[in-house]
Amino acid sequence: MHEPDEHLLRLFELLVEDGTEEQLAEVVATAHSHEPCREHSGLVERAGELALRLRRTLEERRRHESELAALFDTAGDLARVRDPDAVLGAIVHRARTLLGTHVAYLSLNDEDAGTTYMRVTDGCVSELFQRVRLGMGEGLGGLVAQTALPYSTGSYFADTRFTHTTAIDEAVRDERLVAILGVPLTVGGSVIGVLYAAERTGREFSHDEVTLLASLADHAAIAIDNAGLLQETRNALEELHTAHETIREHNVAMRRAERAHDRLTDLVLRGGTVDDIAEAVAGVLGGGIVVHDAEGAELSCAKTDPLPWPRSAVHRSGNSGRAVPRGANLVCAALAGPELLGSLTLVGCGELTDADRRLFERAGVVTALVLLIRRRTAEAEQRVRGDLVTELLSAPSRARVGLADRARRVGVEPTGDKVVLVASADVADRERLVAAASRYAEQRAGLAGVHLDHLVVLLPGAEAGDKAQELARGLGCSTSRRVTVGAAGPVDGLEDVARGYEEARRCLDALITLGRTGAGAALADLGFIGVLLGDRGDLDGYVERTLGAVLDYDSRRGTELLRTLRAYFDCGRSPNRTARELHVHVNTVGQRLERISAILGADWQSPERSLEIQLALRLHRLRTGN
């Protein structure tokens, strides 16, 4: 083989082995030094030039292949990775690797603040540089953002095409950057940021490098746009989920409210009571319910302990027409138009949803309806009972046929002992007094009504005086007024009610005349006045009530207390004269008087008691003859 062939063969070997340009140049130099033939050396030199061109072409293609591979990898990242920071980090790192620069970084615009900030850096060592913010239009990046065109500089500090600021220059100087290339990140025609490649030494960036960085910037813009779209999609899905949950909760609340409404309506139609309403509402809302009437009296309590009437909260609810809070509870007025009929208090239910609050307010409406129905029913029954009382007192005997059956229909037994009570009925307070008396009588299987401006109450039983006192106390508490009650009885059944009414009315007049307003009594409780006013004159009963204890004592002990008592009054209450009248020592009279005081009470010598005792002594003598 000739020597030129050997040199040519060596050039091919170096191309295959990816030899350097220096190695190729060395083969040409060796051929010049060893080839005496100028023609041969020129051939080797020409082959060397072609080998260098071929090597450069191969390097250029490999570089293009590497760039394309990097772009394909970036596109794959965009397709696979959902984390935009990871994609942007990979793009910046590839930019630094492909361009072979010391540093690569990416900045994004903050439209609200009017600045540009560093989003991702690769190869940076300066903390000041990584934290720097650029104003819009400042620095090389500001020029790129304004023109939407790539810009590069081989010497940053000597370049006057862009605006230098102290903060930016200090950051660039701290990172020791000299050459910088920046390309815009564009989405929808708007620049959203800048991708940079930078060197710490002077360098001129080629057109291919600018194109490569611009391609990577396009990928970065797509990643940022995709991230925005993805976030918008997530937000839309979250809003859709929230709307779905809201609709679902609303549907649940609507179905729950519908069931509750149907249940409350059914209770009203079936004649349900306030207790039924309270139990139903407590069950639906999961709390306790306390129901009060318009004056604060408790009507029902379900699944909680009794509570005081929340007066101020009830009035606030009545004025607003809505449920109002009172501490941890909720209060709703039960209204019929402007009239307050009662109130509901919801206990231990926490914060209510709007649907539950409306349900509670609807329960207030239903409660008002039940209370109104109950009041109308009570008023109707009261009229029936009042009419029955009026007919018992005013209708002639022949017209009273059927009254017994009517009494049974309103829950009153027509037979057996009855007590007739008559109460003062002042015109100003009559309505409240009659209503309270009607409730009182109904609770005790009796009747109440108005006759000749008197409130008349008919109750089963025999103890007229005790029942008069109870009625006076009960009506007084209900009306907050002093109510006076006269009583008569017992009378047998309904036939003798008219006579009992006359006696009870005389007793009432006597109580008022004696100044005992607010008291309750029967004629028997008025002493001799009762005897005088009574139409049958129960003399034996009067003597027994007044002197019975003394008579019993004499009978058991064989003493003469009654004889001593009569002599004591006959002798003008003088112990000495009494002793002479009885032929005993004055001390004996004193001892007997002390015994009488123990039996009759210390006030037996008061003017009123002494008058009653003297009258009883005279009646006893008339009855017994001694």
Side-chain angles (χ1 to χ4, degrees):
M1 181 182 291
H2 299 291
E3 190 172 342
D5 296 335
E6 293 178 358
H7 293 306
L8 293 175
L9 181 62
R10 180 58 183 159
L11 288 174
F12 281 118
E13 288 176 349
L14 287 174
L15 287 174
V16 172
E17 294 172 359
D18 200 17
T20 64
E21 292 185 5
E22 289 77 9
Q23 290 174 323
L24 293 174
E26 184 180 352
V27 172
V28 175
T30 301
H32 276 297
S33 62
H34 290 83
E35 279 292 339
C37 178
R38 189 174 182 86
E39 183 180 353
H40 288 174
S41 62
L43 180 62
V44 173
E45 183 177 359
R46 176 63 179 162
E49 290 176 357
L50 293 174
L52 285 173
R53 287 174 60 187
L54 180 59
R55 183 184 183 285
R56 289 169 183 166
T57 300
L58 291 175
E59 285 182 351
E60 186 70 18
R61 288 183 177 179
R62 281 196 296 269
R63 186 173 66 80
H64 281 305
E65 289 177 357
S66 177
E67 292 172 356
L68 289 173
L71 292 175
F72 281 127
D73 290 342
T74 303
D77 291 342
L78 292 176
R80 292 190 305 271
V81 181
R82 291 292 179 265
D83 183 2
D85 289 334
V87 175
L88 295 178
I91 290 173
V92 171
H93 179 72
R94 289 189 182 114
R96 179 189 174 201
T97 303
L98 292 176
L99 272 67
T101 57
H102 294 113
V103 175
Y105 53 97
L106 184 148
S107 67
L108 292 179
N109 296 341
D110 185 345
E111 298 294 340
D112 294 335
T115 59
T116 298
Y117 65 96
M118 295 295 181
R119 176 67 181 271
V120 182
T121 64
D122 192 80
C124 291
V125 295
S126 169
E127 183 179 352
L128 177 62
F129 184 79
Q130 296 178 57
R131 290 187 293 104
V132 71
R133 274 186 174 261
L134 289 69
M136 294 296 186
E138 297 176 352
L140 184 142
L143 183 62
V144 173
Q146 278 185 333
T147 63
L149 296 173
Y151 274 89
S152 66
T153 178
S155 178
Y156 176 83
F157 293 101
D159 200 327
T160 59
R161 291 176 300 166
F162 46 82
T163 303
H164 289 265
T165 67
T166 302
I168 298 173
D169 287 354
E170 287 180 356
V172 173
R173 189 176 289 110
D174 195 54
E175 190 62 55
R176 297 185 294 109
L177 300 180
V178 177
I180 302 175
L181 168 62
V183 295
L185 277 69
T186 306
V187 173
S190 300
V191 178
I192 62 171
V194 179
L195 178 62
Y196 302 87
E199 281 281 357
R200 295 190 174 95
T201 60
R203 171 176 174 176
E204 294 298 330
F205 293 95
S206 68
H207 176 74
D208 290 341
E209 289 174 328
V210 173
T211 302
L212 174 61
L213 192 63
S215 297
L216 291 172
D218 290 340
H219 283 83
I222 293 172
I224 294 170
D225 191 38
N226 286 345
L229 293 174
L230 184 61
Q231 186 60 45
E232 290 178 3
T233 302
R234 289 197 185 105
N235 293 341
L237 288 175
E238 289 178 0
E239 291 176 1
L240 183 61
H241 177 71
T242 301
H244 174 73
E245 286 298 314
T246 301
I247 293 172
R248 187 186 64 80
E249 292 174 0
H250 179 71
N251 287 337
V252 170
M254 288 293 292
R255 288 194 295 270
R256 182 162 167 254
E258 184 179 356
R259 289 194 299 269
H261 181 265
D262 291 344
R263 183 177 178 186
L264 293 177
T265 303
D266 184 60
L267 283 176
V268 174
L269 294 176
R270 289 190 294 104
T273 65
V274 175
D275 290 334
D276 297 330
I277 299 296
E279 287 289 344
V281 176
V284 171
L285 296 180
I289 292 290
V290 180
V291 183
H292 294 93
D293 66 12
E295 296 180 353
E298 183 180 299
L299 299 178
S300 181
C301 186
K303 299 183 180 179
T304 187
D305 295 327
L307 292 176
W309 183 43
R311 180 192 298 270
S312 60
V314 171
H315 290 161
R316 284 192 287 117
S317 176
N319 292 332
S320 66
R322 303 296 301 275
V324 299
R326 184 180 186 274
N329 302 332
L330 199 64
V331 177
C332 183
L335 301 171
E339 183 183 1
L340 177 67
L341 297 179
S343 65
L344 283 79
T345 302
L346 177 61
V347 182
C349 207
E351 189 68 24
L352 289 183
T353 63
D354 290 341
D356 283 347
R357 181 182 285 266
R358 287 193 295 271
L359 176 58
F360 179 55
E361 292 170 351
R362 177 60 60 87
V365 175
V366 174
T367 301
L369 179 59
V370 171
L371 291 175
L372 190 61
I373 293 173
R374 190 176 78 164
R375 187 172 72 179
R376 294 289 183 261
T377 302
E379 289 174 352
E381 291 184 355
Q382 179 180 318
R383 286 193 297 271
V384 171
R385 291 170 179 269
D387 292 344
L388 186 56
V389 169
T390 300
E391 292 189 41
L392 286 172
L393 296 178
S394 60
S397 299
R398 62 180 178 278
R400 295 181 185 176
V401 178
L403 291 184
D405 291 337
R406 289 171 58 188
R408 289 190 182 93
R409 283 198 293 271
V410 294
V412 176
E413 175 56 44
T415 60
D417 289 342
K418 300 287 187 290
V419 172
V420 182
L421 305 111
V422 178
S424 59
D426 184 70
V427 174
D429 297 325
R430 177 177 296 175
E431 185 175 348
R432 290 181 62 194
L433 186 64
V434 171
S438 297
R439 290 194 298 270
Y440 186 94
E442 183 179 357
Q443 293 168 358
R444 293 160 177 79
L447 296 173
V450 176
H451 180 67
L452 300 178
D453 285 338
H454 288 107
L455 173 63
V456 182
V457 178
L458 181 66
L459 297 176
E463 300 298 328
D466 293 342
K467 292 192 179 297
Q469 294 176 20
E470 292 175 4
L471 181 61
R473 286 194 298 269
L475 296 183
C477 292
S478 298
T479 61
S480 301
R481 298 295 179 93
R482 298 176 66 186
V483 178
T484 308
V485 179
V491 297
D492 186 14
L494 302 180
E495 294 300 323
D496 210 15
V497 170
R499 184 190 58 78
Y501 162 74
E502 294 297 335
E503 182 177 326
R505 184 179 58 78
R506 290 196 300 272
C507 181
L508 174 63
D509 293 341
L511 287 171
I512 295 174
T513 301
L514 294 173
R516 294 177 61 178
T517 304
L523 287 178
D525 302 317
L526 300 182
F528 73 93
I529 294 178
V531 173
L532 295 176
L533 294 175
D535 60 350
R536 288 182 295 182
D538 185 13
L539 301 180
D540 291 339
Y542 176 75
V543 172
E544 179 63 28
R545 287 190 298 275
T546 307
L547 299 176
V550 176
L551 293 171
D552 290 343
Y553 191 89
D554 283 345
S555 176
R556 292 194 310 271
R557 304 291 182 90
T559 56
E560 294 184 343
L561 295 183
L562 183 66
R563 181 169 172 246
T564 302
L565 188 59
R566 182 182 294 117
Y568 179 70
F569 281 114
D570 289 343
C571 294
R573 302 188 185 184
S574 170
N576 291 326
R577 291 174 58 189
T578 302
R580 289 195 297 270
E581 176 71 20
L582 297 176
H583 305 289
V584 296
H585 194 276
V586 69
N587 290 341
T588 301
V589 172
Q591 291 172 0
R592 290 179 180 178
L593 294 177
E594 288 179 1
R595 176 58 57 189
I596 292 170
S597 295
I599 295 172
L600 297 180
D603 66 336
W604 68 275
Q605 295 195 66
S606 66
E608 185 176 346
R609 287 289 307 280
S610 65
L611 179 59
E612 291 181 354
I613 292 171
Q614 291 179 67
L615 179 59
L617 288 170
R618 292 180 181 278
L619 291 173
H620 180 264
R621 174 173 289 176
L622 290 172
R623 293 288 183 176
T624 60
N626 54 36

